[in-house]
Amino acid sequence: MQYALYVQPLLQLLFPVKATPAGIGGISAVAWANQHPFLNISITPIECSVVCSKALAHEFFAPVISRSNDLLVPGQGRASISSEEFVVISVEGAGLVAGQRVLELTSPLAMAGISIFFITTYFSDYILVPAKSRGQVIRALEERGFAFEKSAEAYVNPMAHHRNASSTSSFEPSSPATPPPTTVSELQARTFSLLKRRNIVPQVHRDIRLIQCAGRGDSISNQSSSDLEMQIGLTKSLVHPPRFLSLTLVETESASLLLEKCTLNNFNSDHILLGSEDDYLIPVTLNLEPLPFEATGIVCGVAGKLVGGNTGPLTDSVEMSYLSTARAGTVMVDERDLERAMEALRDGEYGLDIV
């Protein structure tokens, strides 16, 4: 299994040996979880995907990729580092429940034909866009009412009052010969038509029950202890290949995690983790490898179906989130809403088969 070759680089990336500036009493002034401007490691039933700086990707992963790819037989999946450079835009809450927030944030970008990754952490939403599209994304968000708030270093919807945890990603190919959609309903129809043509079948993982959680923000005096406990828990979770795990680290927030319920015993969860241990998310994976990397609109189309939109069969929104990875998308649905979500995805002229 290729994953075993990448455990050491993953741990080196997460726990760098380089010293950080000392603070009070010789304790590092920068918490372990805040040493990366942006880092996401996601392991799903389809792939292991990493978002980090270009320099770190080449330092830790390029040598292993070169060695391991030489050993692969034809037909085996090959690891790679994207040649495209991305920038991260932080967006704070849209004042909506998770599924509606996904739709609110992705629809203006999808309408503008912008290819994105969309990752929602326990605290904030992060839009990853090709560096060349940054200005276009900012314009699209500002036209939708989002404004940059310097104190938060993020785009904020003035209507926001609270957050729910959620997560998301990208895609539907745009062609210069095809006019962009004018409504979410049209975009939704195009998205599901595309998925059906490319034989992309959602796969439900009913035996994987996920918990959305985050590290507790401790004072500097307790920081070292909490950091150590979190690092031990993550090491245990990564060394034994998880079926599903997503970790996001940024400079301004505590670590955000999406974990299998059965792996919580790797952590002293009551002491170091925030979040409910009783609300479960069930992952539904979409293997998007048949689509071009620059595709746009899948997240918005799927969210429109599940939230109900103008054409969906639901009278109430499905509580959903969506995790973006390199070659796949994972819709995550509250366990209580799973059957309604499946009904929505099957419904209509371009309804999908589900396994």
mmCIF file of all heavy atoms in Angstrom, residues 13 52 122 249 259:
data_model
loop_
_atom_site.group_PDB
_atom_site.id
_atom_site.type_symbol
_atom_site.label_atom_id
_atom_site.label_comp_id
_atom_site.label_asym_id
_atom_site.label_seq_id
_atom_site.Cartn_x
_atom_site.Cartn_y
_atom_site.Cartn_z
ATOM 1 N N LEU A 13 6.119 16.755 8.214
ATOM 2 C CA LEU A 13 5.410 17.979 7.849
ATOM 3 C C LEU A 13 4.650 18.541 9.052
ATOM 4 O O LEU A 13 4.670 19.749 9.311
ATOM 5 C CB LEU A 13 4.434 17.681 6.705
ATOM 6 C CG LEU A 13 3.512 18.814 6.243
ATOM 7 C CD1 LEU A 13 4.321 19.946 5.619
ATOM 8 C CD2 LEU A 13 2.479 18.283 5.246
ATOM 9 N N CYS A 52 -0.283 22.150 1.170
ATOM 10 C CA CYS A 52 0.749 22.815 1.958
ATOM 11 C C CYS A 52 1.522 23.750 1.041
ATOM 12 O O CYS A 52 1.238 23.835 -0.158
ATOM 13 C CB CYS A 52 1.683 21.805 2.624
ATOM 14 S SG CYS A 52 2.682 20.832 1.462
ATOM 15 N N TYR A 122 -13.763 23.704 11.496
ATOM 16 C CA TYR A 122 -14.676 23.871 12.635
ATOM 17 C C TYR A 122 -15.031 25.345 12.827
ATOM 18 O O TYR A 122 -16.120 25.675 13.285
ATOM 19 C CB TYR A 122 -13.995 23.329 13.891
ATOM 20 C CG TYR A 122 -14.882 23.256 15.113
ATOM 21 C CD1 TYR A 122 -15.654 22.123 15.364
ATOM 22 C CD2 TYR A 122 -14.919 24.298 16.034
ATOM 23 C CE1 TYR A 122 -16.444 22.043 16.489
ATOM 24 C CE2 TYR A 122 -15.710 24.230 17.162
ATOM 25 C CZ TYR A 122 -16.474 23.098 17.385
ATOM 26 O OH TYR A 122 -17.261 23.024 18.511
ATOM 27 N N LEU A 249 -4.758 23.057 9.670
ATOM 28 C CA LEU A 249 -4.014 23.941 10.555
ATOM 29 C C LEU A 249 -3.836 25.298 9.890
ATOM 30 O O LEU A 249 -3.516 25.367 8.700
ATOM 31 C CB LEU A 249 -2.621 23.366 10.866
ATOM 32 C CG LEU A 249 -2.555 21.968 11.496
ATOM 33 C CD1 LEU A 249 -1.100 21.561 11.701
ATOM 34 C CD2 LEU A 249 -3.309 21.928 12.819
ATOM 35 N N LEU A 259 -12.784 13.318 12.315
ATOM 36 C CA LEU A 259 -12.272 12.026 12.748
ATOM 37 C C LEU A 259 -13.364 10.971 12.764
ATOM 38 O O LEU A 259 -14.534 11.279 12.986
ATOM 39 C CB LEU A 259 -11.720 12.122 14.174
ATOM 40 C CG LEU A 259 -10.557 13.062 14.450
ATOM 41 C CD1 LEU A 259 -10.372 13.190 15.963
ATOM 42 C CD2 LEU A 259 -9.284 12.546 13.811
#
